[in-house]
Amino acid sequence: MSETNRIPLSPTPRSTPKRAKERVRTDRADLDAVLDAGLVCHLGVLLGGSPVVIPTAYGRDGDMLYLHGSTGAGNMRAALAGDISVAVTLVDGIVYARSAMHFSMNYRSAVMHGRAAEVTDPDQRLHALKVMVEHSAPGAWERVRWPNKKELAATVVLALDLTEASVKMRTGGPKDDEADVVAGGVWAGVLPTRRVWDAPISSDDLEVGVEVPPEVLERAALSSAAI
Amino acid sequence: MSETNRIPLSPTPRSTPKRAKERVRTDRADLDAVLDAGLVCHLGVLLGGSPVVIPTAYGRDGDMLYLHGSTGAGNMRAALAGDISVAVTLVDGIVYARSAMHFSMNYRSAVMHGRAAEVTDPDQRLHALKVMVEHSAPGAWERVRWPNKKELAATVVLALDLTEASVKMRTGGPKDDEADVVAGGVWAGVLPTRRVWDAPISSDDLEVGVEVPPEVLERAALSSAAI
């Protein structure tokens, strides 16, 4: 574990959850684990005075969360004009309780806040794009054609420092009222859920003889393991 | 399909996507399908002048999206103080392209905007809570203890009309540049992914003789089917 992983979280009021405190994690390693396990984030920006939530890809490297978009996208301009909020959530189970209000979900979530910076240095931009490709498709960057000048010119890369973040996790069974447990007769428990990968589907226009890369096959083979 | 399902979407500028227009769906039935397939939404509110994104449970009934939270939660107060944005996203696959900038995801997403209303009528509140429980745990409401006065007094129920919404979906393989296809030698395709349910885990404190309900067993058995 690197030094940065030892930094505690939640240094500001808005990144300090006030409710369900037993679910709050304050270890930086938990933040990294949630971000590394997620596929998409939900980016919140202020647009025309109102919040707008956008699902988008991301990548993490050390203390930096990277996002990207088209130079023509209003959302990207909005993301640079003020603070943003980014959430990554993984649902691990539905918690079936004995009473309606105790139904819940087991989950892992990270919510980050802050001012994103535009990454403008060419080397850093290429690095950020690599981090994002590798997040979605580990092992792919070295196999594929890298961004050319035209593609880079059309792309905005944002970096958000991970210092202002909160992590929440819920695990385990329902927390029913004692009276409902005593009354009995109602099933209670957890229905676990997870993401699996299916067999890769080669592109229709792929020439004969190009095999599915080992890292893709390996990822598909992880289907039986929880992520 | 009900009459409401025939209403086209995207009646306002902010709910009309400007980019990747080939991914935009304008059929109301597509919105319903995305919302019904999701488990959590990401709620965007304005808090202290900045957007904050919160993962939370939801339910849909007809044209209404329901959310709930604690009366003590600042996020709930913020959600009632101005416009909100709510996104539901399902990731269906990673699109592996021949070039870095054409990597993508297959997904289904819905983004809604508007002013949420607090549901105050007792019958409507109960109905909204039923809709939310049934969304997370179909078939559970009739089996469990319903909310009591104390629980209801501690709960805020929000309703968001679904008239201002956009739906995007991406399906299919990579859309590589012709030159990269011609150059060849790089695998391209899709790695499909989906959510599965595992076997239910009964609560530690469940009394002997209470069986797992059929609808829970049935849901777990759906593991092999795409959702």
Side-chain angles (χ1 to χ4, degrees):
Chain A
M1 196 181 291
S2 73
E3 272 307 304
T4 58
N5 283 341
R6 298 177 198 281
I7 298 168
L9 294 168
S10 299
T12 73
R14 71 177 166 183
S15 71
T16 306
K18 280 117 205 135
R19 310 204 66 78
K21 289 182 184 170
E22 72 285 1
R23 299 182 186 171
V24 175
R25 302 299 174 100
T26 55
D27 192 329
R28 172 54 197 268
D30 289 324
L31 173 62
D32 293 349
V34 171
L35 295 181
D36 293 352
L39 287 176
V40 290
C41 68
H42 283 82
L43 164 67
V45 302
L46 194 60
L47 199 63
S50 296
V52 173
V53 179
I54 308 135
T56 189
Y58 69 93
R60 182 190 74 87
D61 183 35
D63 292 333
M64 282 293 172
L65 186 84
Y66 292 112
L67 306 168
H68 77 306
S70 162
T71 49
N75 293 333
M76 286 291 112
R77 287 191 295 273
L80 283 166
D83 276 11
I84 63 171
S85 179
V86 181
V88 173
T89 306
L90 298 130
V91 178
D92 297 320
I94 306 292
V95 180
Y96 286 72
R98 295 164 178 88
S99 65
M101 296 309 287
H102 283 296
F103 273 69
S104 186
M105 290 188 198
N106 284 337
Y107 65 93
R108 292 162 282 161
S109 75
V111 179
M112 292 137 283
H113 305 279
R115 188 81 186 232
E118 185 173 356
V119 182
T120 53
D121 175 79
D123 290 345
Q124 284 179 22
R125 272 162 62 86
L126 199 66
H127 176 71
L129 292 168
K130 173 183 171 175
V131 166
M132 281 181 272
V133 166
E134 287 287 309
H135 183 91
S136 295
W141 181 261
E142 294 299 332
R143 290 194 297 103
V144 303
R145 176 178 66 71
W146 291 359
N148 59 33
K149 274 188 184 172
K150 190 184 162 195
E151 289 170 335
L152 288 168
T155 305
V156 182
V157 177
L158 304 186
L160 179 68
D161 196 285
L162 293 175
T163 47
E164 193 177 350
S166 62
V167 178
K168 289 172 101 174
M169 297 187 189
R170 190 198 189 284
T171 58
K175 294 194 172 59
D176 275 304
D177 292 354
E178 186 57 29
D180 293 322
V181 177
V182 171
V186 180
W187 184 77
V190 173
L191 186 62
T193 177
R194 62 194 158 88
R195 176 176 296 287
V196 295
W197 303 97
D198 287 323
I201 301 163
S202 293
S203 185
D204 288 342
D205 57 6
L206 189 72
E207 69 270 26
V208 176
V210 178
E211 302 288 333
V212 181
E215 81 272 7
V216 179
L217 288 174
E218 207 170 289
R219 199 176 191 187
L222 286 176
S223 271
S224 53
I227 59 164
Chain B
M1 194 180 292
S2 72
E3 272 307 302
T4 58
N5 282 340
R6 299 177 197 281
I7 299 167
L9 293 170
S10 301
T12 74
R14 70 178 166 183
S15 70
T16 305
K18 280 116 202 136
R19 312 204 65 78
K21 289 182 185 173
E22 73 283 3
R23 298 181 187 171
V24 175
R25 302 298 175 99
T26 55
D27 192 330
R28 172 54 198 270
D30 289 324
L31 172 63
D32 292 349
V34 171
L35 295 181
D36 293 352
L39 288 176
V40 292
C41 68
H42 283 81
L43 164 67
V45 302
L46 194 60
L47 199 62
S50 297
V52 172
V53 179
I54 307 134
T56 189
Y58 69 94
R60 181 189 75 84
D61 182 36
D63 292 332
M64 282 293 171
L65 187 84
Y66 293 111
L67 306 168
H68 76 307
S70 164
T71 48
N75 294 333
M76 285 293 111
R77 288 192 295 273
L80 283 166
D83 276 11
I84 62 171
S85 178
V86 180
V88 173
T89 307
L90 297 130
V91 178
D92 298 320
I94 305 291
V95 181
Y96 285 72
R98 296 164 177 88
S99 65
M101 297 308 288
H102 283 295
F103 273 69
S104 187
M105 290 187 198
N106 285 337
Y107 65 92
R108 291 162 284 160
S109 74
V111 179
M112 292 136 284
H113 306 278
R115 188 83 187 230
E118 185 173 358
V119 181
T120 53
D121 175 80
D123 290 344
Q124 285 179 22
R125 273 162 63 85
L126 199 66
H127 177 70
L129 292 169
K130 173 184 172 174
V131 166
M132 281 182 272
V133 166
E134 286 288 307
H135 183 92
S136 296
W141 182 261
E142 295 298 332
R143 289 194 297 106
V144 303
R145 176 179 64 73
W146 292 0
N148 58 33
K149 273 188 185 171
K150 189 184 161 194
E151 290 170 335
L152 287 167
T155 304
V156 182
V157 177
L158 304 185
L160 179 69
D161 196 285
L162 292 175
T163 46
E164 193 177 349
S166 62
V167 178
K168 289 173 100 174
M169 297 188 189
R170 190 199 189 283
T171 58
K175 294 194 171 59
D176 276 305
D177 292 355
E178 187 56 31
D180 293 322
V181 177
V182 171
V186 180
W187 184 77
V190 173
L191 185 63
T193 177
R194 63 194 157 89
R195 176 175 297 288
V196 294
W197 303 97
D198 288 324
I201 301 164
S202 293
S203 186
D204 288 343
D205 57 6
L206 189 71
E207 68 271 26
V208 176
V210 178
E211 301 288 333
V212 181
E215 82 271 7
V216 178
L217 288 173
E218 207 171 289
R219 198 176 192 187
L222 286 175
S223 273
S224 54
I227 60 165

